[in-house]
Amino acid sequence: MFHAALFVAIVLSAVGMGLSLAHALELPGKRRLGRDAYFAVQSIYYPGFTIGGAFGEPLAMAATLLTLLFTTPGSPLFWLVLSGLVCLLFEHALYWLITHPVNKVWLRDHNLGGGGATFFASGGPAPAWPSRPTLRDRWAYSHVARSVFAALAFIFLVIAALPRA
């Protein structure tokens, strides 16, 4: 059961890493966009990135927690898996504390239905922000930070899967 849970945790953590890394790598190019082009580009992420993040990240945390339950407390393997879980928790917390409020601003003029409307309604109304560059930077740098934690989680979990000498 341990190996199956670890495999699932690695695959799902890769989803979160891929999504946040894609956003982080866009940063230099998107900084060159004017206001209208930037807002047009921002709207293309829904629903694909939302679906990937909504399922991938929580399920990665659950699979990593399940993996942790099958490890010997205090063992080197335990600390690797726990470190991966902590990184996944930080990655996810950054989304809700920094990225999600900005996403709500980007999507406030879009007519979302069903699950998207419910998802983006969470956390209260869209905040008012002083400027597009402030929003852009907050959104972009939150993804840079998220990609760092996602990559660290992935690395910890892959190291945990390596055979022991």
Side-chain angles (χ1 to χ4, degrees), residues 58-70:
L59 292 175
M61 291 183 289
T64 305
L65 179 60
L66 180 63
T67 303
L68 190 65
L69 296 175
F70 288 102

Side-chain angles (χ1 to χ4, degrees), residues 98 113 122:
I98 300 173
S122 62

Side-chain angles (χ1 to χ4, degrees), residues 124-140:
W129 295 95
S131 67
R132 181 189 63 86
T134 300
L135 285 170
R136 178 198 64 207
D137 290 348
R138 182 178 173 103
W139 188 87

Side-chain angles (χ1 to χ4, degrees), residues 93-126:
L94 284 168
Y95 174 81
W96 287 105
L97 296 172
I98 300 173
T99 312
H100 187 72
V102 179
N103 280 344
K104 291 172 73 128
V105 173
W106 299 144
L107 291 169
R108 77 172 146 215
D109 295 331
H110 290 75
N111 198 3
L112 304 176
T118 302
F119 181 78
F120 286 104
S122 62

Side-chain angles (χ1 to χ4, degrees), residues 33-95:
L33 297 176
R35 182 189 186 283
D36 292 341
Y38 188 84
F39 278 107
V41 169
Q42 282 304 108
S43 67
I44 67 170
Y45 297 124
Y46 175 79
F49 278 73
T50 305
I51 293 167
F55 291 103
E57 289 183 33
L59 292 175
M61 291 183 289
T64 305
L65 179 60
L66 180 63
T67 303
L68 190 65
L69 296 175
F70 288 102
T71 61
T72 304
S75 68
L77 190 60
F78 175 86
W79 294 114
L80 285 167
V81 175
L82 180 61
S83 296
L85 179 60
V86 168
C87 288
L88 289 170
L89 291 170
F90 275 118
E91 174 196 10
H92 202 63
L94 284 168
Y95 174 81

